């Protein structure tokens, strides 16, 4: 037997593995087209719609806006980026108040943003969210705005 087939086979296998590894890096990169974003939080105000769509004690994933919003009590809201802190994938769904990342299985408590299952170890980024009495708006306030929608003021006695 000649020594050529074995080394050639090894070289071809190695080349195939490099190609597959490259696909994995592309899928996990924040530059890919698989739901990742370079900026994980809204950079401008993002209207989310009626606050009524989030029950007290519940949460809602707004995939298009890349935000997840939790309602701890009536009229109060907390928001986090819906982009996984491990590899940048967008959370796919919520199971109660736990957000699931489809890429590597990370899970996040959307009441705090903290990871509850790895490989992610860093919490989701907090996102400003405002409630104007009817609608929610995520992200920073519009610059130059003289009025800012806020949570209704608590009654004073």
């Amino acid at each position: 037997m000649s020594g050529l087939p074995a080394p050639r086979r090894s070289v071809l296998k190695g080349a195939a593995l490099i190609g597959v590894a490259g696909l994995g890096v592309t899928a996990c990169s924040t530059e890919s087209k698989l739901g990742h974003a370079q900026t994980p939080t809204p950079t401008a105000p993002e209207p989310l719609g009626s606050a009524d769509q989030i029950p007290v004690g519940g949460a809602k994933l707004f995939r298009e806006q890349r935000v997840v919003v939790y309602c701890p009590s009536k009229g109060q809201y907390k928001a986090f980026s819906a982009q996984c802190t491990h590899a940048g994938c967008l959370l796919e769904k919520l199971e109660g108040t736990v957000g699931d990342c489809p890429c590597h299985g990370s899970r996040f408590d959307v009441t705090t943003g903290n990871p509850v299952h790895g490989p992610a170890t860093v919490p989701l980024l907090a996102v400003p969210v405002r409630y104007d009495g009817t609608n929610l708006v995520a992200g920073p306030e519009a610059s130059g705005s003289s009025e800012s929608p806020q949570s209704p003021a608590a009654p004073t006695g």
Side-chain angles (χ1 to χ4, degrees), residues 84-87 101 104-108 114-124:
C84 179
T85 58
H86 171 249
C101 177
H104 301 108
S106 291
R107 301 183 81 203
F108 296 88
N114 292 328
V116 294
H117 185 271
T121 59
V122 175
L124 297 172

Side-chain angles (χ1 to χ4, degrees), residues 103-156:
C103 293
H104 301 108
S106 291
R107 301 183 81 203
F108 296 88
D109 177 345
V110 299
T111 69
T112 63
N114 292 328
V116 294
H117 185 271
T121 59
V122 175
L124 297 172
L125 293 173
V127 173
V129 64
R130 294 170 301 288
Y131 172 60
D132 68 7
T134 306
N135 294 305
L136 295 171
V137 178
E141 292 184 33
S143 59
S145 172
S146 60
E147 292 185 36
S148 62
Q150 299 291 326
S151 294
T156 55

Side-chain angles (χ1 to χ4, degrees), residues 79-100:
F80 298 95
S81 168
Q83 188 171 335
C84 179
T85 58
H86 171 249
C89 295
L90 190 59
L91 299 183
E92 183 175 61
K93 63 181 179 176
L94 293 179
E95 293 177 12
T97 56
V98 176
D100 293 328

Side-chain angles (χ1 to χ4, degrees), residues 9-95:
R9 196 173 298 132
S10 296
V11 169
L12 291 175
K13 283 182 184 178
L17 289 175
I18 288 171
V20 170
L23 288 174
V25 168
T26 300
C28 294
S29 120
T30 56
E31 299 295 325
S32 82
K33 306 282 189 236
L34 300 176
H36 306 196
Q38 288 183 9
T39 306
T41 59
T43 58
E46 287 280 349
L48 302 177
S50 172
D52 292 341
Q53 57 189 316
I54 307 170
V56 172
K60 179 170 174 63
L61 176 63
F62 295 89
R63 284 183 56 90
E64 186 176 313
Q65 294 86 357
R66 299 177 181 277
V67 174
V68 60
V69 179
Y70 167 63
C71 177
S73 60
K74 186 168 176 64
Q76 300 297 310
Y77 299 90
K78 293 170 69 175
F80 298 95
S81 168
Q83 188 171 335
C84 179
T85 58
H86 171 249
C89 295
L90 190 59
L91 299 183
E92 183 175 61
K93 63 181 179 176
L94 293 179
E95 293 177 12

